[in-house]
Amino acid sequence: MQKSITIIIPVFNEVDSLKELQAQLENILENRYSYEILYMNDGSFDGSEKILDELSNQNASTKAVHFHRNYGKAAALAEGFKLATGDYVMTMDADLQDDPAEIPNFITKLEEGFDLVSGWKKDRKDPLGKTMPSRFFNFVTRLMTGVKIHDFNCGIKMYKNAVVKTLDIYGGRHRYIPALAGQKNFKVSEIIVNH
C-alpha cells in the first residue's frame, strides 16, 4: 500500500519563495502520493500569512497554521509533528534551499529500513564563516552521540511518523534531532542532497 506523506515547512518572512515552493511540491507530489503540506507560520510580518492562506484555499491538501508571534523553529516543528498524519513526515525550509525533487530519494532510503533520513549538503554553497562552525558542530555531535552522520542541522529530513511522535523538541533542540532519535534507538541515516 502506498505511504502517505506530511511535509512540514516552518515559515518566517518567506513571502518571496512560498508560491514557487508550493508549485515545486505539487509538481512532485500530485498524482504520485497521498500527501498534506503543513506550513507553520512562525509570526511572519512580511505578507507570508496572506500567501499561505491563498495556497491553502487553492489546495485542499495544504494547511497554514499561524502563530501570533515568533516562537522559533523548534516550536514550529514541534507543533507540526503533533499535527502530522502521514506515514512519512518530511521537514524542509521555506527558502527554496531544500529541493522537493529529493522527496522520492528520501522515501527510497527510509524504505531500506531506516526510521529517520537526514539530508547532507555535502557541496555547500555557504561562505567559510558558516561552513567551518557547522563542521565543528557536526564533528562534536557525532563524537558525543555516536550517530554517524555528517549534517545534523540540515533542514530537509524524512521520518517515519512514530519518530516524530516521540521527539520532545524545544529551544535549540531541533539541531540535534538525529541524535535525539538515535538515543531512542531509531535507525538514522543520511543522503546527499542538492544545495
Side-chain angles (χ1 to χ4, degrees), residues 7-187:
I7 313 282
I8 299 171
I9 305 169
V11 176
F12 182 64
N13 293 341
E14 299 287 356
V15 70
D16 294 333
S17 61
L18 295 172
K19 287 183 179 177
E20 175 61 25
L21 177 58
Q22 180 75 13
Q24 289 182 23
L25 284 167
E26 288 177 2
N27 185 47
I28 295 297
L29 297 167
E30 288 289 338
N31 305 316
R32 292 175 75 180
Y33 305 103
S34 168
Y35 73 92
E36 65 178 351
I37 301 169
L38 302 177
Y39 287 102
M40 310 306 295
N41 178 20
D42 192 20
S44 297
F45 50 82
D46 68 341
S48 291
E49 182 174 348
K50 182 174 181 282
I51 299 295
L52 293 175
D53 286 340
E54 284 175 20
L55 296 175
S56 61
N57 287 333
Q58 292 163 5
N59 182 330
S61 298
T62 299
K63 297 174 184 71
V65 176
H66 301 292
F67 295 175
H68 70 280
R69 69 175 180 82
N70 181 252
Y71 288 94
K73 190 172 187 177
L77 289 174
E79 193 60 29
F81 288 165
K82 284 183 204 166
L83 297 172
T85 61
D87 299 307
Y88 297 157
V89 178
M90 173 165 259
T91 57
M92 61 176 18
D93 293 336
D95 58 6
L96 298 175
Q97 288 201 43
D98 297 329
D99 187 353
E102 302 279 5
I103 291 171
N105 302 331
F106 276 89
I107 292 171
T108 298
K109 193 69 178 175
L110 266 189
E111 290 179 346
E112 288 177 13
F114 295 100
D115 301 304
L116 186 165
V117 179
S118 190
W120 173 22
K121 293 178 179 170
K122 187 176 181 182
D123 183 23
R124 286 185 65 168
K125 309 289 190 248
D126 294 320
L128 206 57
K130 199 169 177 184
T131 56
M132 288 310 288
S134 175
R135 281 191 187 143
F136 180 73
F137 166 82
N138 286 307
F139 171 75
V140 170
T141 306
R142 204 164 37 246
L143 205 62
M144 299 295 287
T145 66
V147 175
K148 304 287 190 237
I149 65 171
H150 295 85
D151 193 352
F152 285 83
N153 196 26
C154 184
I156 189 166
K157 294 179 177 69
M158 188 174 276
Y159 315 73
K160 289 183 177 166
N161 190 290
V163 178
V164 303
K165 298 305 183 190
T166 65
L167 293 176
D168 192 15
I169 307 301
Y170 56 86
R173 285 167 64 102
H174 62 281
R175 294 179 180 90
Y176 298 96
I177 286 176
L180 297 170
Q183 287 176 338
K184 293 178 182 285
N185 293 320
F186 288 114
K187 292 181 185 167

